[in-house]
Amino acid sequence: MALAIFVTAANDLERGSVKLALCCGDGSATGAQAASLCDELVAAADAFATAAQLLGGDGAGAGAPLRALARGAARRLLEALRALAASLAAGDGSQNARSGVVWEAAAAARRLPASNRAAYRREFLSWATELKDAIAEFGELAAAEAFSYDSVDDGFGGDDDAYGDAERPAAAAVVECLRVLGATYKDVLVAMDAAGKGGEFGFVASVYGAGAALRRAATALAEELYPPLDPATLGAARDGAAGAMAAVLAVLDARAGLPPPRRTARRRSARAARTWLLYTSDAADD
């Protein structure tokens, strides 16, 4: 219900702001007409703000991603409305541009996911896309032939263009770990879907929290892959990712009836650990 009111009020605000800008901006509206338009806009803004407050809190049943999206969309639209009102009050002639910003913000509010499931999936997709880009970038660097750091001038001394011979195995091992972490996003999403269909929303929140921590750890690990590598910080980031992976497994293990995501996640975790241990043992031999 709150989401429906949110979207309907956003539509009303879009239409009302355009009418207000057109009628009041050129001075064609009478005082009574302007007051009527403002009353309509205030009513729509009140409904929108109330729905946004409900969606952004814990009482409407919205999950964390949907709450965050609703708060962001509401803030953007209400700020655009305030800017439009200030423009009309000042008579600075920018009301048409300001109403265009309101229109864009209202359109974004209407594109809010229609359900918690859709919001979670949208967020996980953005996580997966972000990690996929990092894997592609650093996987290419790890597979590149060795060349002198100074062979390419990037304007910053050329020292961050490629891995050295001793760095490529470490980078390749971490890229493999990133693949494992990215694949685990799907395990988390599958577990959330299964629990959500059963109405186990407390578990959904727990496994989402573990997945969000895993995403932060994966991002931190990817950030350490820019050459030249720092073994200490890279190892610490990898340990952080391993801890986040263990936390995901602990949450999945706590709920019966989820053997597929739990088994695949555990296999992936073991594979990542083996990959890293293989590199560190080879490095020690060197």
Side-chain angles (χ1 to χ4, degrees):
M1 178 63 74
L3 184 57
I5 295 173
F6 185 90
V7 172
T8 299
N11 280 329
D12 293 341
L13 288 172
E14 178 187 335
R15 289 193 296 268
S17 66
V18 171
K19 287 195 296 184
L20 189 67
L22 290 175
C23 295
C24 297
D26 62 4
S28 62
T30 65
Q33 289 172 332
S36 176
L37 289 172
C38 288
D39 288 343
E40 292 176 8
L41 208 57
V42 167
D46 284 344
F48 181 78
T50 300
Q53 186 173 16
L54 288 173
L55 277 175
D58 297 328
L66 186 54
R67 289 199 303 269
L69 289 171
R71 286 194 294 264
R75 187 180 302 111
R76 180 183 175 190
L77 180 49
L78 292 174
E79 288 176 353
L81 284 168
R82 280 195 289 268
L84 173 60
S87 170
L88 289 169
D92 59 11
S94 67
Q95 70 276 355
N96 290 334
R98 298 294 184 183
S99 68
V101 176
V102 173
W103 185 89
E104 291 176 356
R110 288 198 304 271
R111 290 195 296 270
L112 224 60
S115 66
N116 278 323
R117 185 172 186 266
Y120 280 120
R121 285 185 170 274
R122 181 184 293 186
E123 181 154 356
F124 274 80
L125 178 61
S126 71
W127 295 357
T129 300
E130 174 187 84
L131 192 55
K132 182 179 179 181
D133 290 344
I135 289 170
E137 177 183 357
F138 296 115
E140 182 178 348
L141 274 179
E145 292 295 328
F147 63 93
S148 168
Y149 279 141
D150 295 325
S151 64
V152 176
D153 183 7
D154 61 1
F156 297 94
D159 288 341
D160 59 352
D161 294 314
Y163 298 120
D165 290 337
E167 292 176 323
R168 281 199 303 279
V174 173
V175 168
E176 177 62 18
C177 291
L178 290 176
R179 289 195 178 96
V180 171
L181 296 175
T184 306
Y185 291 167
K186 182 178 180 181
D187 298 327
V188 172
L189 188 58
V190 168
M192 290 172 59
D193 272 347
K197 290 174 183 176
E200 300 178 57
F201 301 119
F203 176 79
V204 169
S206 295
V207 75
Y208 170 76
L214 183 68
R215 181 252 181 169
R216 291 192 295 271
T219 300
L221 183 57
E223 288 172 349
E224 293 300 330
L225 278 173
Y226 287 100
L229 299 181
D230 183 327
T233 57
L234 183 62
R238 193 271 159 192
D239 290 343
M245 187 75 168
V248 168
L249 292 174
V251 173
L252 294 180
D253 283 340
R255 183 183 182 275
L258 286 173
R262 186 165 62 246
R263 281 200 302 266
T264 54
R266 192 168 290 285
R267 284 199 299 267
R268 288 177 180 136
S269 178
R271 192 176 83 199
R274 286 195 303 271
T275 299
W276 185 253
L277 286 173
L278 180 62
Y279 162 71
T280 53
S281 62
D282 288 346
D285 292 341
D286 293 341

